[in-house]
Amino acid sequence: MKKIALYIRVSTDEQALKGNSLSEQEQRLRAYCHAMDWSGTIEVFNDDGYSAGNLKRPALTRMLRQVRKKEIGMVIITKIDRLCRNLKELLMLVDEFDELQCGFASASERFDTSNATGRMALHILGAFAEFERGRNSERVRENMISLVTNTDKAISRPCFGYDIVDGKLVINKNEAEIVKKMAEWMIEGEGAHKVMMRLKDMGIKTKDGNQFSQGSVRRLMHRETLTGTMIYNRTYALRGKILTRPPEEWIIIDNHHEAILDKDTFQQLQMAITSRRRAGAQADNERWLLSGLLRCAHCGGLMIGRYRRKNSGREYYNYVCNTYSKKGECYHHYIRRDEIENTVLGNLKEIGQQITGDFGEVPVTEAENQVDTSKLHEKLKKLDVKMQKQIELFEDDDISREDYRIARDRINREREEIEEQISIAETGSRASLEKDFLKRVDSLKPNLNSNNRGEIKNALRQLIKIVDITNGSDVNIQVRLEPLDY
């Protein structure tokens, strides 16, 4: 004879005060079984401390596994919200129970899923449960926004480098020193993997006591929290995925707590991380100084280093269009490594030689300084809509992963260009950004003149945004005119 499953759940201690304690739920369900004259083996599945926000709960997972093995003939709950609050998930579970000939009942709502009336009642109750969950989420969000905007209270767990004392973020001195070292290593050109291995060798672990991974290193180094800034309302959940809201919806509080990294250092860190990501597998290969910085002007794809050695022993070092090499699209064109690297370095060194001590303003026209930021923000919103459509198409399997990747990369390139224009407009003038760039060139002079190709490569990443190559000969260098404040 199949078992009867009693599923009980409580998410917080507060729920116990409202009559939803685990022991009370179990007593009610056993009494319900007795009243209905249901006999047989009873097994209790207890999820203590888990929310009904999703179905990833250990006891629920174990129960469903037994249902699918047809070991359970009846599932009983005290209320629908003990099982889930998402109507789609509820109906999905009920359909699965029906297919497996497993009954489903609620002791409070008193419905029977074996007839149409009972199923209609279940749908209505499920819709109300989902509505209540949505309202609770809205109330929590409103309270959190009020806390963020009106107090300096911490609203989430502290990241590595901070502790929470009296409800506020306070620097953990030992961890903060490690954070500074991590930032220094990455600015010097090291990747997340190398930093991860350094931390492992030093015996440094995360707040949870786990080994740092490449992902956790990257996430930590991207957190504005390290600069004393609190950002709330940046992300939201949709269909089980975490998505990013448009920047104008973010709530940004500067000087919310004491900073570990100053904003100049943080900006340099982001430049270093972004440049390495573009370089991909060649990020640490000193043979190719411009990995991730050369772009084919014809197709928009990167140009990557290719080495050939002929039988005669002659060696060839070229940058070639990656789209042509990997997909046979675009067309075959290349530029010799030494030629383009000397051109880029020569331009930067020439700029460095012209720098004066006062970093005088670079003359620009009034038209260059006046940018309609409202139109630029509208363009960003349209890009967000495009990106959301691509995400939905990918989730519905209407486009392939590769098509999604191509669309995502194209949209991100457009976004970077628009954001740079906004930065120029909102930070005063192009001249001020050029002055910041000249300062960076001056500080990186020793690296540019070094005999160490690794040091040269890292300096180029911090100074060059992209170099467009047309027909393997025409070169257009775009330097990083980015504000040292984000």
Side-chain angles (χ1 to χ4, degrees):
M1 188 174 180
K2 293 182 180 180
K3 293 185 294 186
I4 297 174
L6 309 183
Y7 180 75
I8 60 178
R9 179 190 66 79
V10 66
S11 58
T12 63
D13 293 335
E14 182 182 4
Q15 285 180 308
L17 302 176
K18 298 180 181 179
N20 287 322
S21 69
L22 293 171
S23 59
E24 183 173 338
Q25 289 180 55
E26 183 177 347
Q27 289 173 11
R28 289 181 64 191
L29 292 180
R30 288 187 181 276
Y32 182 74
C33 288
H34 181 73
M36 299 298 292
D37 198 24
W38 289 338
S39 60
T41 303
I42 292 177
E43 183 173 350
V44 179
F45 294 87
N46 176 346
D47 271 324
D48 185 2
Y50 287 87
S51 166
N54 61 64
L55 299 179
K56 295 178 180 178
R57 288 167 256 157
L60 178 60
T61 301
R62 193 170 67 255
M63 183 185 77
L64 292 177
R65 190 181 301 120
Q66 292 188 30
V67 170
R68 288 159 188 159
K69 290 180 179 179
K70 298 190 175 181
E71 297 173 358
I72 293 175
M74 175 65 73
V75 173
I76 311 174
I77 56 176
T78 55
K79 293 174 64 179
I80 286 178
D81 65 3
R82 297 301 90 198
L83 185 66
C84 60
R85 294 190 180 126
N86 182 292
L87 180 58
K88 180 180 177 181
E89 290 176 346
L90 175 63
L91 299 181
M92 178 186 71
L93 286 175
V94 172
D95 285 342
E96 186 173 8
F97 290 158
D98 283 347
E99 289 178 9
L100 296 168
Q101 298 180 327
C102 176
F104 177 60
S106 167
S108 298
E109 285 96 1
R110 304 286 179 106
F111 58 79
D112 180 359
T113 60
S114 63
N115 60 67
T117 303
R119 290 184 67 86
M120 180 184 71
L122 176 63
H123 287 206
I124 294 171
L125 290 168
F128 274 104
E130 184 172 2
F131 169 75
E132 182 60 24
R133 178 177 176 236
R135 288 293 299 132
N136 285 340
S137 297
E138 289 175 0
R139 285 192 287 269
V140 169
R141 184 163 170 263
E142 289 168 1
N143 290 337
M144 296 297 280
I145 289 175
S146 177
L147 274 175
V148 169
T149 53
N150 299 312
T151 74
D152 58 355
K153 294 288 186 181
I155 58 171
S156 61
R157 294 178 60 198
C159 68
F160 189 85
Y162 288 95
D163 293 324
I164 293 181
V165 179
D166 296 330
K168 299 179 181 180
L169 286 173
V170 177
I171 287 179
N172 179 313
K173 292 183 179 180
N174 293 333
E175 292 180 358
E177 289 304 313
I178 299 299
V179 169
K180 291 176 182 178
K181 276 293 183 185
M182 293 167 70
E184 180 183 331
W185 294 332
M186 296 194 83
I187 290 172
E188 289 174 354
E190 294 187 9
H193 181 268
K194 192 167 184 179
V195 172
M196 174 193 72
M197 295 307 296
R198 277 182 180 265
L199 296 175
K200 182 178 180 181
D201 292 341
M202 295 167 65
I204 305 297
K205 295 188 176 181
T206 66
K207 283 282 190 187
D208 297 324
N210 301 318
Q211 296 287 352
F212 271 95
S213 64
Q214 293 185 61
S216 58
V217 168
R218 289 194 196 96
R219 286 191 294 272
L220 178 60
M221 292 293 96
H222 275 307
R223 295 193 67 156
E224 294 89 348
T225 307
L226 302 176
T227 68
T229 299
M230 175 62 68
I231 298 183
Y232 183 69
N233 203 45
R234 174 157 48 185
T235 60
Y236 65 101
L238 177 67
R239 300 178 186 175
K241 295 187 177 181
I242 302 299
L243 302 176
T244 302
R245 289 188 172 89
E248 55 268 25
E249 295 183 17
W250 300 359
I251 298 174
I252 303 175
I253 310 295
D254 288 318
N255 303 316
H256 178 270
H257 50 271
E258 188 177 355
I260 295 175
L261 302 178
D262 63 75
K263 292 188 176 181
D264 287 4
T265 300
F266 186 76
Q267 182 68 16
Q268 291 175 351
L269 176 61
Q270 302 316 302
M271 289 180 185
I273 294 173
T274 301
S275 298
R276 280 192 62 88
R277 184 167 62 244
R278 285 193 187 133
Q282 294 183 344
D284 291 316
N285 191 339
E286 296 179 4
R287 175 182 283 179
W288 312 103
L289 296 183
L290 298 174
S291 300
L293 299 178
L294 290 187
R295 182 171 65 188
C296 170
H298 305 282
C299 68
L302 290 176
M303 298 189 71
I304 60 173
R306 282 287 181 266
Y307 167 77
R308 287 191 304 121
R309 179 187 174 92
K310 287 199 170 182
N311 293 334
S312 62
R314 188 170 180 181
E315 297 177 313
Y316 293 87
Y317 298 88
N318 299 318
Y319 288 99
V320 301
C321 175
N322 193 37
T323 305
Y324 175 83
S325 297
K326 288 194 172 179
K327 300 180 182 178
E329 299 173 8
C330 196
Y331 78 99
H332 182 256
H333 65 107
Y334 64 91
I335 191 164
R336 298 197 183 282
R337 180 196 68 174
D338 294 347
E339 176 186 336
I340 184 60
E341 290 180 357
N342 288 336
T343 298
V344 173
L345 280 169
N347 272 269
L348 290 175
K349 289 177 181 178
E350 185 177 343
I351 291 173
Q353 290 168 0
Q354 295 172 357
I355 293 176
T356 59
D358 60 0
F359 298 99
E361 290 287 332
V362 180
V364 292
T365 64
E366 184 178 351
E368 286 181 297
N369 285 336
Q370 295 178 346
V371 182
D372 189 341
T373 57
S374 62
K375 290 182 178 179
L376 292 174
H377 282 295
E378 282 299 318
K379 288 183 179 180
L380 280 181
K381 287 182 180 179
K382 289 179 180 178
L383 284 180
D384 288 330
V385 172
K386 284 184 181 179
M387 191 67 247
Q388 187 58 48
K389 287 181 179 177
Q390 295 299 322
I391 292 172
E392 291 173 359
L393 288 171
F394 176 59
E395 289 178 338
D396 295 337
D397 294 326
D398 290 332
I399 60 174
S400 67
R401 182 179 296 276
E402 180 62 17
D403 289 337
Y404 169 72
R405 186 191 64 77
I406 293 171
R408 180 200 63 196
D409 292 347
R410 184 186 70 251
I411 291 171
N412 284 341
R413 284 197 300 271
E414 293 178 25
R415 190 194 307 278
E416 285 181 5
E417 292 173 0
I418 295 172
E419 287 176 345
E420 181 179 350
Q421 294 176 50
I422 292 174
S423 295
I424 290 173
E426 292 180 345
T427 52
S429 71
R430 183 180 180 87
S432 65
L433 294 180
E434 288 180 344
K435 187 162 68 172
D436 287 335
F437 172 74
L438 293 179
K439 290 180 181 178
R440 268 184 282 141
V441 173
D442 189 51
S443 67
L444 291 168
K445 274 182 182 179
N447 301 68
L448 293 173
N449 293 306
S450 172
N451 292 322
N452 184 316
R453 287 180 65 84
E455 292 182 1
I456 299 173
K457 184 169 186 172
N458 185 50
L460 290 174
R461 286 176 180 154
Q462 297 182 52
L463 298 172
I464 300 295
K465 180 179 180 181
I466 205 74
V467 180
D468 283 313
I469 306 296
T470 308
N471 298 323
S473 57
D474 297 336
V475 178
N476 178 36
I477 302 172
Q478 297 181 40
V479 297
R480 281 187 173 275
L481 289 184
E482 299 177 9
L484 291 180
D485 194 359
Y486 59 93

